[in-house]
Amino acid sequence: MESIGRCITLLVLLGVLFTGHCEAQSPGSATGDARSLDTLLQDYAYRSLVHPRTGFVYDGTVPSNLTGIRIAAIRLRSGSLRKRGVDSYKEFGIPSDIVVQPYVKRLVLVYQNLGNWSSFYYPLPGYTYLTPVLGLLAYDATNLSATNLPKLDFAATNLPVSINFSNVVVPVPSGAIARCVWFGLNGSPDFRDSESGSMCTVFRQGHFSIVVNSSEIVLPPAPSEGPGLSLNPVVSRSNKSKLWKIIVSVIGGIALVLLALLTFVMLKYTRNKKVAKMEQHADAGVSLDTASVGNARVPVASGLRTQPILENELVA
Ligand SMILES: *[C@@H]1O[C@H](CO)[C@@H](O)[C@H](O)[C@H]1NC(C)=O
Ligand SMILES: *[C@@H]1O[C@H](CO)[C@@H](O)[C@H](O)[C@H]1NC(C)=O
Ligand SMILES: *[C@@H]1O[C@H](CO)[C@@H](O)[C@H](O)[C@H]1NC(C)=O
Ligand SMILES: *[C@@H]1O[C@H](CO)[C@@H](O)[C@H](O)[C@H]1NC(C)=O
Ligand SMILES: *[C@@H]1O[C@H](CO)[C@@H](O)[C@H](O)[C@H]1NC(C)=O
């Protein structure tokens, strides 16, 4: 019995260690550095611009340690961007009257689709992403080999930039209110209601997505695996479900071990009892007599051990 107690203590300790390990990875600590990601993606997006034609969209390639992220680049004259905008650049519709500062003759708009890395680089505890985080950032196009470029200031002065998430959005769960979230260059989120659940409008550059308050959804939305799109709920939710899985498996493990121990103890107990009984019989010298039946010797009972008592004897 002492060893069972020790076993249980060990298992409980293991369980505590597991949960502690999980909590150590709670939201915040897993946050990547979104600004250095911008720098890296600017470099990789520019690599796709080899003798680029103005106004053409070039898809870039990300390093293999960032598989799941998609990037693109388009080079524009700032004069034509101000006059005409860009009808459709991936999910973005860019109107006329965009002002870029400081003045550059040509600029590059870098597009980012963070895919399954969205909640890694832009964790939003309490919210669930319905779309990947998309980025639109403006850089000087003077030197296409340049790295560590500063962002240009980019502002819509008349109509807003529209973002059409139709092709990448998970349907809004019933009862939930879809909100557009905008991460400015300082990284802090800014929320607006999204009228249609798939469109957002913005006046500045940065990173954008559609989210719902996690407490408004009964069941987590089924992650739609569209081409290149894989959504993760925010880190806190996945950690919570992981935590539950671990708790359930620890409890299940303890139950299994206890069941095994119980079976073992019971088997041992019944065997001991049997042995004891047999020994008792041997001690009492009770053995079965044998008799010859033909050529074989078979055991026979040596008569009745308890003599029947006649009822009338008791009565008498
Ligand atoms: C990914 O790899 C690139 C180049 O191989 C490296 O510069 C970058 O730091 C790595 N990023 C992460 C997040 O591991
Ligand atoms: C995203 O998915 C790719 C494979 O499709 C994987 O290599 C990568 O680790 C995933 N990123 C995250 C943050 O889970
Ligand atoms: C989500 O909604 C609940 C209930 O309406 C509210 O208490 C909570 O503050 C909201 N969470 C966030 C992150 O806005
Ligand atoms: C462009 O940038 C690269 C990398 O920073 C640098 O080596 C090169 O000299 C620059 N070219 C010009 C023309 O400034
Ligand atoms: C958004 O994109 C979808 C599919 O590409 C298209 O059917 C829809 O008309 C677009 N919505 C707007 C408001 O542009």
Side-chain angles (χ1 to χ4, degrees):
M1 275 319 200
E2 204 186 333
S3 62
I4 300 177
R6 262 189 220 148
C7 238
I8 292 172
T9 318
L10 191 71
L11 280 170
V12 168
L13 269 177
L14 272 178
V16 168
L17 277 178
F18 260 119
T19 38
H21 178 71
C22 233
E23 264 158 12
Q25 296 183 337
S26 60
S29 58
T31 316
D33 184 358
R35 292 290 76 77
S36 62
L37 179 70
D38 285 348
T39 304
L40 189 75
L41 294 182
Q42 176 265 311
D43 177 10
Y44 278 81
Y46 268 48
R47 292 182 195 192
S48 66
L49 298 174
V50 184
H51 309 301
R53 293 169 66 183
T54 300
F56 276 69
V57 177
Y58 293 86
D59 287 326
T61 313
V62 293
S64 59
N65 57 359
L66 293 172
T67 302
I69 294 180
R70 289 187 294 157
I71 52 171
I74 186 173
R75 191 180 65 151
L76 302 162
R77 287 172 187 275
S78 39
S80 90
L81 177 64
R82 192 169 53 245
K83 253 186 253 155
R84 286 190 288 275
V86 183
D87 254 4
S88 103
Y89 177 33
K90 306 285 183 185
E91 286 81 8
F92 293 91
I94 303 167
S96 56
D97 302 317
I98 299 288
V99 172
V100 171
Q101 278 177 328
Y103 174 81
V104 291
K105 197 168 170 212
R106 287 193 176 87
L107 75 155
V108 171
L109 293 179
V110 169
Y111 164 88
Q112 306 175 354
N113 178 331
L114 298 189
N116 60 337
W117 295 84
S118 298
S119 52
F120 180 80
Y121 282 104
Y122 292 89
L124 259 190
Y127 293 94
T128 299
Y129 281 112
L130 298 186
T131 75
V133 169
L134 304 181
L136 184 71
L137 300 166
Y139 297 95
D140 185 357
T142 304
N143 181 354
L144 294 179
S145 316
T147 54
N148 278 312
L149 281 175
K151 283 153 194 145
L152 300 172
D153 192 37
F154 170 104
T157 56
N158 184 9
L159 294 168
V161 173
S162 65
I163 314 169
N164 183 350
F165 288 99
S166 297
N167 292 331
V168 291
V169 74
V170 169
V172 182
S174 61
I177 299 161
R179 287 187 176 83
C180 295
V181 59
W182 165 51
F183 297 92
L185 296 185
N186 63 3
S188 63
D190 188 66
F191 297 93
R192 302 274 154 79
D193 283 0
S194 165
E195 308 84 32
S196 66
S198 67
M199 292 288 301
C200 292
T201 53
V202 298
F203 284 89
R204 313 300 292 259
Q205 64 188 328
H207 291 83
F208 315 93
S209 188
I210 296 180
V211 295
V212 291
N213 182 329
S214 298
S215 70
E216 286 170 0
I217 45 179
V218 184
L219 291 166
S224 92
E225 291 288 338
L229 164 66
S230 163
L231 275 181
N232 280 334
V234 289
V235 177
S236 61
R237 287 185 67 83
S238 64
N239 261 1
K240 238 183 231 165
S241 68
K242 242 187 242 164
L243 191 68
W244 271 113
K245 265 184 210 159
I246 286 168
I247 289 174
V248 166
S249 40
V250 164
I251 289 173
I254 291 175
L256 266 181
V257 167
L258 281 181
L259 196 72
L261 279 174
L262 200 70
T263 317
F264 176 73
V265 166
M266 267 170 56
L267 278 177
K268 208 169 169 185
Y269 178 68
T270 40
R271 214 185 51 202
N272 280 352
K273 223 173 154 184
K274 248 189 208 157
V275 169
K277 230 181 197 165
M278 272 155 74
E279 278 169 1
Q280 218 176 20
H281 283 188
D283 287 346
V286 180
S287 58
L288 295 175
D289 293 336
T290 53
S292 294
V293 177
N295 283 336
R297 293 193 65 80
V298 294
V300 294
S302 60
L304 296 166
R305 267 172 261 164
T306 322
Q307 294 300 323
I309 300 160
L310 290 175
E311 271 174 17
N312 52 6
E313 266 186 318
L314 276 174
V315 173

